[in-house]
Amino acid sequence: MKRILAQLAVTVGLVLPPTESRAAELIMFERPGCVWCARFDAEIAPIYARTEESQAAPLRRVDLNSPLPADLAGIDPGVFTPTFVVVKEGREIGRIRGYPGDTFFFGLLDRILSDTGSKPGRT
């Protein structure tokens, strides 16, 4: 009986989603034709997935011409594009309005991630 209960517990643990806190996400709200979004795409997008910041907050892009995903219903995307919002456990932790260039972008993002306890280099 104990063996069956142990197997059941393992099976349930594999099937149910984890209840521990989810990692932070960097949401990029964008629109087609946005010049600053294109600059971000040229300067940051090609390398972001290989950065420590990406390990702490993977990039997720949201087109403002489409309906907002249900899990972002409580997040105001703002009017300017791009707007970057760090979200953790469904809550906004911080945001960067516009794209300030690569050096300032990473500095601002690092400050936000430090405030969340998701400092780059550790998750």
Side-chain angles (χ1 to χ4, degrees):
M1 182 67 167
K2 288 183 181 181
R3 177 181 278 169
I4 292 171
L5 288 176
Q7 287 177 333
L8 180 61
V10 169
T11 303
V12 168
L14 293 174
V15 173
L16 292 178
T19 57
E20 61 191 51
S21 66
R22 293 176 285 167
E25 261 187 317
L26 175 63
I27 310 297
M28 177 182 177
F29 293 103
E30 61 185 338
R31 285 191 178 93
C34 167
V35 174
W36 292 102
C37 299
R39 188 168 166 202
F40 173 86
D41 286 343
E43 296 176 0
I44 303 293
I47 64 164
Y48 187 76
R50 297 186 305 267
T51 65
E52 291 178 346
E53 290 81 2
S54 173
Q55 300 307 307
L59 178 64
R60 177 176 164 198
R61 301 172 83 117
V62 175
D63 183 346
L64 287 178
N65 289 343
S66 300
L68 284 180
D71 65 321
L72 298 178
I75 305 295
D76 177 14
V79 295
F80 300 108
T81 57
T83 293
F84 301 90
V85 180
V86 176
V87 175
K88 187 169 185 179
E89 298 177 358
R91 284 190 19 229
E92 178 176 334
I93 303 302
R95 72 174 47 213
I96 301 169
R97 289 176 183 87
Y99 174 64
D102 59 351
T103 302
F104 289 111
F105 175 80
F106 281 112
L108 292 169
L109 181 57
D110 287 348
R111 180 180 297 163
I112 293 168
L113 293 174
S114 293
D115 291 345
T116 68
S118 298
K119 189 172 184 176
R122 56 186 180 116
T123 54

mmCIF file with all atom_site columns, all heavy atoms in Angstrom, residues 9 16 22-23 46 54 64 82 86 94 100-101 104 108 115 118 122:
data_model
loop_
_atom_site.group_PDB
_atom_site.id
_atom_site.type_symbol
_atom_site.label_atom_id
_atom_site.label_alt_id
_atom_site.label_comp_id
_atom_site.label_asym_id
_atom_site.label_entity_id
_atom_site.label_seq_id
_atom_site.pdbx_PDB_ins_code
_atom_site.Cartn_x
_atom_site.Cartn_y
_atom_site.Cartn_z
_atom_site.occupancy
_atom_site.B_iso_or_equiv
_atom_site.pdbx_formal_charge
_atom_site.auth_seq_id
_atom_site.auth_comp_id
_atom_site.auth_asym_id
_atom_site.auth_atom_id
_atom_site.pdbx_PDB_model_num
ATOM 1   N N   . ALA A 1 9   ? 1.917  9.674  -5.470  1.00 0.00 ? 9   ALA A N   1
ATOM 2   C CA  . ALA A 1 9   ? 2.453  11.002 -5.140  1.00 0.00 ? 9   ALA A CA  1
ATOM 3   C C   . ALA A 1 9   ? 3.422  11.474 -6.213  1.00 0.00 ? 9   ALA A C   1
ATOM 4   O O   . ALA A 1 9   ? 3.391  12.638 -6.628  1.00 0.00 ? 9   ALA A O   1
ATOM 5   C CB  . ALA A 1 9   ? 3.136  10.974 -3.778  1.00 0.00 ? 9   ALA A CB  1
ATOM 6   N N   . LEU A 1 16  ? 0.764  17.714 -12.071 1.00 0.00 ? 16  LEU A N   1
ATOM 7   C CA  . LEU A 1 16  ? 0.300  19.032 -11.636 1.00 0.00 ? 16  LEU A CA  1
ATOM 8   C C   . LEU A 1 16  ? 1.392  20.072 -11.825 1.00 0.00 ? 16  LEU A C   1
ATOM 9   O O   . LEU A 1 16  ? 2.573  19.785 -11.656 1.00 0.00 ? 16  LEU A O   1
ATOM 10  C CB  . LEU A 1 16  ? -0.104 18.988 -10.161 1.00 0.00 ? 16  LEU A CB  1
ATOM 11  C CG  . LEU A 1 16  ? -1.338 18.153 -9.828  1.00 0.00 ? 16  LEU A CG  1
ATOM 12  C CD1 . LEU A 1 16  ? -1.576 18.168 -8.326  1.00 0.00 ? 16  LEU A CD1 1
ATOM 13  C CD2 . LEU A 1 16  ? -2.554 18.676 -10.563 1.00 0.00 ? 16  LEU A CD2 1
ATOM 14  N N   . ARG A 1 22  ? 6.932  31.435 -9.797  1.00 0.00 ? 22  ARG A N   1
ATOM 15  C CA  . ARG A 1 22  ? 7.406  31.418 -11.167 1.00 0.00 ? 22  ARG A CA  1
ATOM 16  C C   . ARG A 1 22  ? 8.523  32.434 -11.321 1.00 0.00 ? 22  ARG A C   1
ATOM 17  O O   . ARG A 1 22  ? 8.589  33.425 -10.598 1.00 0.00 ? 22  ARG A O   1
ATOM 18  C CB  . ARG A 1 22  ? 6.257  31.761 -12.114 1.00 0.00 ? 22  ARG A CB  1
ATOM 19  C CG  . ARG A 1 22  ? 5.192  30.688 -12.138 1.00 0.00 ? 22  ARG A CG  1
ATOM 20  C CD  . ARG A 1 22  ? 4.051  31.104 -13.003 1.00 0.00 ? 22  ARG A CD  1
ATOM 21  N NE  . ARG A 1 22  ? 3.283  32.112 -12.260 1.00 0.00 ? 22  ARG A NE  1
ATOM 22  C CZ  . ARG A 1 22  ? 2.353  32.876 -12.796 1.00 0.00 ? 22  ARG A CZ  1
ATOM 23  N NH1 . ARG A 1 22  ? 2.067  32.786 -14.050 1.00 0.00 ? 22  ARG A NH1 1
ATOM 24  N NH2 . ARG A 1 22  ? 1.701  33.745 -12.055 1.00 0.00 ? 22  ARG A NH2 1
ATOM 25  N N   . ALA A 1 23  ? 9.374  32.194 -12.304 1.00 0.00 ? 23  ALA A N   1
ATOM 26  C CA  . ALA A 1 23  ? 10.453 33.123 -12.587 1.00 0.00 ? 23  ALA A CA  1
ATOM 27  C C   . ALA A 1 23  ? 9.877  34.421 -13.126 1.00 0.00 ? 23  ALA A C   1
ATOM 28  O O   . ALA A 1 23  ? 8.745  34.473 -13.595 1.00 0.00 ? 23  ALA A O   1
ATOM 29  C CB  . ALA A 1 23  ? 11.414 32.499 -13.591 1.00 0.00 ? 23  ALA A CB  1
ATOM 30  N N   . PRO A 1 46  ? 19.262 40.084 -30.715 1.00 0.00 ? 46  PRO A N   1
ATOM 31  C CA  . PRO A 1 46  ? 20.108 38.959 -31.131 1.00 0.00 ? 46  PRO A CA  1
ATOM 32  C C   . PRO A 1 46  ? 20.944 38.351 -30.002 1.00 0.00 ? 46  PRO A C   1
ATOM 33  O O   . PRO A 1 46  ? 21.319 37.190 -30.068 1.00 0.00 ? 46  PRO A O   1
ATOM 34  C CB  . PRO A 1 46  ? 21.027 39.570 -32.194 1.00 0.00 ? 46  PRO A CB  1
ATOM 35  C CG  . PRO A 1 46  ? 20.329 40.796 -32.669 1.00 0.00 ? 46  PRO A CG  1
ATOM 36  C CD  . PRO A 1 46  ? 19.555 41.303 -31.486 1.00 0.00 ? 46  PRO A CD  1
ATOM 37  N N   . SER A 1 54  ? 18.623 37.360 -19.251 1.00 0.00 ? 54  SER A N   1
ATOM 38  C CA  . SER A 1 54  ? 17.652 36.447 -19.861 1.00 0.00 ? 54  SER A CA  1
ATOM 39  C C   . SER A 1 54  ? 17.408 35.225 -18.987 1.00 0.00 ? 54  SER A C   1
ATOM 40  O O   . SER A 1 54  ? 16.296 34.694 -18.968 1.00 0.00 ? 54  SER A O   1
ATOM 41  C CB  . SER A 1 54  ? 18.140 35.996 -21.237 1.00 0.00 ? 54  SER A CB  1
ATOM 42  O OG  . SER A 1 54  ? 17.294 35.007 -21.761 1.00 0.00 ? 54  SER A OG  1
ATOM 43  N N   . LEU A 1 64  ? 0.861  44.952 -29.474 1.00 0.00 ? 64  LEU A N   1
ATOM 44  C CA  . LEU A 1 64  ? -0.269 45.721 -28.956 1.00 0.00 ? 64  LEU A CA  1
ATOM 45  C C   . LEU A 1 64  ? -1.426 45.827 -29.945 1.00 0.00 ? 64  LEU A C   1
ATOM 46  O O   . LEU A 1 64  ? -2.505 46.303 -29.584 1.00 0.00 ? 64  LEU A O   1
ATOM 47  C CB  . LEU A 1 64  ? 0.190  47.118 -28.530 1.00 0.00 ? 64  LEU A CB  1
ATOM 48  C CG  . LEU A 1 64  ? 1.011  47.138 -27.250 1.00 0.00 ? 64  LEU A CG  1
ATOM 49  C CD1 . LEU A 1 64  ? 1.472  48.550 -26.922 1.00 0.00 ? 64  LEU A CD1 1
ATOM 50  C CD2 . LEU A 1 64  ? 0.229  46.551 -26.089 1.00 0.00 ? 64  LEU A CD2 1
ATOM 51  N N   . PRO A 1 82  ? 8.783  50.801 -27.585 1.00 0.00 ? 82  PRO A N   1
ATOM 52  C CA  . PRO A 1 82  ? 8.465  49.643 -26.763 1.00 0.00 ? 82  PRO A CA  1
ATOM 53  C C   . PRO A 1 82  ? 8.344  50.041 -25.294 1.00 0.00 ? 82  PRO A C   1
ATOM 54  O O   . PRO A 1 82  ? 8.929  51.019 -24.854 1.00 0.00 ? 82  PRO A O   1
ATOM 55  C CB  . PRO A 1 82  ? 9.681  48.735 -26.959 1.00 0.00 ? 82  PRO A CB  1
ATOM 56  C CG  . PRO A 1 82  ? 10.816 49.688 -27.202 1.00 0.00 ? 82  PRO A CG  1
ATOM 57  C CD  . PRO A 1 82  ? 10.200 50.841 -27.966 1.00 0.00 ? 82  PRO A CD  1
ATOM 58  N N   . VAL A 1 86  ? 8.757  44.071 -16.307 1.00 0.00 ? 86  VAL A N   1
ATOM 59  C CA  . VAL A 1 86  ? 9.186  42.856 -15.618 1.00 0.00 ? 86  VAL A CA  1
ATOM 60  C C   . VAL A 1 86  ? 8.019  42.403 -14.762 1.00 0.00 ? 86  VAL A C   1
ATOM 61  O O   . VAL A 1 86  ? 7.496  43.172 -13.944 1.00 0.00 ? 86  VAL A O   1
ATOM 62  C CB  . VAL A 1 86  ? 10.445 43.094 -14.755 1.00 0.00 ? 86  VAL A CB  1
ATOM 63  C CG1 . VAL A 1 86  ? 10.802 41.836 -13.973 1.00 0.00 ? 86  VAL A CG1 1
ATOM 64  C CG2 . VAL A 1 86  ? 11.615 43.539 -15.628 1.00 0.00 ? 86  VAL A CG2 1
ATOM 65  N N   . GLY A 1 94  ? 8.560  46.151 -12.294 1.00 0.00 ? 94  GLY A N   1
ATOM 66  C CA  . GLY A 1 94  ? 9.173  47.383 -12.772 1.00 0.00 ? 94  GLY A CA  1
ATOM 67  C C   . GLY A 1 94  ? 9.010  47.497 -14.270 1.00 0.00 ? 94  GLY A C   1
ATOM 68  O O   . GLY A 1 94  ? 8.640  46.524 -14.934 1.00 0.00 ? 94  GLY A O   1
ATOM 69  N N   . PRO A 1 100 ? 16.179 52.983 -24.299 1.00 0.00 ? 100 PRO A N   1
ATOM 70  C CA  . PRO A 1 100 ? 17.193 54.015 -24.061 1.00 0.00 ? 100 PRO A CA  1
ATOM 71  C C   . PRO A 1 100 ? 18.591 53.694 -24.610 1.00 0.00 ? 100 PRO A C   1
ATOM 72  O O   . PRO A 1 100 ? 19.540 54.386 -24.283 1.00 0.00 ? 100 PRO A O   1
ATOM 73  C CB  . PRO A 1 100 ? 17.230 54.083 -22.531 1.00 0.00 ? 100 PRO A CB  1
ATOM 74  C CG  . PRO A 1 100 ? 16.948 52.676 -22.111 1.00 0.00 ? 100 PRO A CG  1
ATOM 75  C CD  . PRO A 1 100 ? 15.951 52.154 -23.131 1.00 0.00 ? 100 PRO A CD  1
ATOM 76  N N   . GLY A 1 101 ? 18.720 52.650 -25.413 1.00 0.00 ? 101 GLY A N   1
ATOM 77  C CA  . GLY A 1 101 ? 20.036 52.231 -25.898 1.00 0.00 ? 101 GLY A CA  1
ATOM 78  C C   . GLY A 1 101 ? 20.548 51.066 -25.068 1.00 0.00 ? 101 GLY A C   1
ATOM 79  O O   . GLY A 1 101 ? 20.083 50.827 -23.953 1.00 0.00 ? 101 GLY A O   1
ATOM 80  N N   . PHE A 1 104 ? 22.133 51.732 -21.289 1.00 0.00 ? 104 PHE A N   1
ATOM 81  C CA  . PHE A 1 104 ? 21.128 52.138 -20.313 1.00 0.00 ? 104 PHE A CA  1
ATOM 82  C C   . PHE A 1 104 ? 20.076 51.061 -20.121 1.00 0.00 ? 104 PHE A C   1
ATOM 83  O O   . PHE A 1 104 ? 19.586 50.861 -19.014 1.00 0.00 ? 104 PHE A O   1
ATOM 84  C CB  . PHE A 1 104 ? 20.472 53.459 -20.719 1.00 0.00 ? 104 PHE A CB  1
ATOM 85  C CG  . PHE A 1 104 ? 21.383 54.637 -20.576 1.00 0.00 ? 104 PHE A CG  1
ATOM 86  C CD1 . PHE A 1 104 ? 21.851 55.297 -21.695 1.00 0.00 ? 104 PHE A CD1 1
ATOM 87  C CD2 . PHE A 1 104 ? 21.784 55.083 -19.328 1.00 0.00 ? 104 PHE A CD2 1
ATOM 88  C CE1 . PHE A 1 104 ? 22.708 56.375 -21.573 1.00 0.00 ? 104 PHE A CE1 1
ATOM 89  C CE2 . PHE A 1 104 ? 22.637 56.164 -19.184 1.00 0.00 ? 104 PHE A CE2 1
ATOM 90  C CZ  . PHE A 1 104 ? 23.098 56.816 -20.314 1.00 0.00 ? 104 PHE A CZ  1
ATOM 91  N N   . LEU A 1 108 ? 19.187 49.666 -16.429 1.00 0.00 ? 108 LEU A N   1
ATOM 92  C CA  . LEU A 1 108 ? 17.852 49.776 -15.845 1.00 0.00 ? 108 LEU A CA  1
ATOM 93  C C   . LEU A 1 108 ? 17.262 48.405 -15.537 1.00 0.00 ? 108 LEU A C   1
ATOM 94  O O   . LEU A 1 108 ? 16.661 48.199 -14.479 1.00 0.00 ? 108 LEU A O   1
ATOM 95  C CB  . LEU A 1 108 ? 16.934 50.550 -16.804 1.00 0.00 ? 108 LEU A CB  1
ATOM 96  C CG  . LEU A 1 108 ? 17.271 52.023 -16.992 1.00 0.00 ? 108 LEU A CG  1
ATOM 97  C CD1 . LEU A 1 108 ? 16.471 52.609 -18.158 1.00 0.00 ? 108 LEU A CD1 1
ATOM 98  C CD2 . LEU A 1 108 ? 17.026 52.807 -15.715 1.00 0.00 ? 108 LEU A CD2 1
ATOM 99  N N   . ASP A 1 115 ? 15.982 44.493 -7.550  1.00 0.00 ? 115 ASP A N   1
ATOM 100 C CA  . ASP A 1 115 ? 14.900 44.797 -6.612  1.00 0.00 ? 115 ASP A CA  1
ATOM 101 C C   . ASP A 1 115 ? 13.972 43.606 -6.407  1.00 0.00 ? 115 ASP A C   1
ATOM 102 O O   . ASP A 1 115 ? 13.290 43.520 -5.394  1.00 0.00 ? 115 ASP A O   1
ATOM 103 C CB  . ASP A 1 115 ? 14.083 45.997 -7.097  1.00 0.00 ? 115 ASP A CB  1
ATOM 104 C CG  . ASP A 1 115 ? 14.873 47.304 -7.021  1.00 0.00 ? 115 ASP A CG  1
ATOM 105 O OD1 . ASP A 1 115 ? 15.923 47.337 -6.353  1.00 0.00 ? 115 ASP A OD1 1
ATOM 106 O OD2 . ASP A 1 115 ? 14.435 48.280 -7.654  1.00 0.00 ? 115 ASP A OD2 1
ATOM 107 N N   . SER A 1 118 ? 15.890 38.754 -8.246  1.00 0.00 ? 118 SER A N   1
ATOM 108 C CA  . SER A 1 118 ? 16.243 37.946 -9.408  1.00 0.00 ? 118 SER A CA  1
ATOM 109 C C   . SER A 1 118 ? 17.452 38.549 -10.096 1.00 0.00 ? 118 SER A C   1
ATOM 110 O O   . SER A 1 118 ? 17.482 38.696 -11.302 1.00 0.00 ? 118 SER A O   1
ATOM 111 C CB  . SER A 1 118 ? 15.063 37.907 -10.396 1.00 0.00 ? 118 SER A CB  1
ATOM 112 O OG  . SER A 1 118 ? 13.953 37.311 -9.818  1.00 0.00 ? 118 SER A OG  1
ATOM 113 N N   . ARG A 1 122 ? 21.866 34.873 -10.955 1.00 0.00 ? 122 ARG A N   1
ATOM 114 C CA  . ARG A 1 122 ? 21.223 33.930 -10.036 1.00 0.00 ? 122 ARG A CA  1
ATOM 115 C C   . ARG A 1 122 ? 19.722 34.074 -10.202 1.00 0.00 ? 122 ARG A C   1
ATOM 116 O O   . ARG A 1 122 ? 19.205 35.135 -10.438 1.00 0.00 ? 122 ARG A O   1
ATOM 117 C CB  . ARG A 1 122 ? 21.625 34.159 -8.597  1.00 0.00 ? 122 ARG A CB  1
ATOM 118 C CG  . ARG A 1 122 ? 21.371 35.539 -8.117  1.00 0.00 ? 122 ARG A CG  1
ATOM 119 C CD  . ARG A 1 122 ? 21.908 35.763 -6.725  1.00 0.00 ? 122 ARG A CD  1
ATOM 120 N NE  . ARG A 1 122 ? 21.576 37.156 -6.431  1.00 0.00 ? 122 ARG A NE  1
ATOM 121 C CZ  . ARG A 1 122 ? 20.774 37.530 -5.486  1.00 0.00 ? 122 ARG A CZ  1
ATOM 122 N NH1 . ARG A 1 122 ? 20.246 36.669 -4.680  1.00 0.00 ? 122 ARG A NH1 1
ATOM 123 N NH2 . ARG A 1 122 ? 20.487 38.782 -5.280  1.00 0.00 ? 122 ARG A NH2 1
#
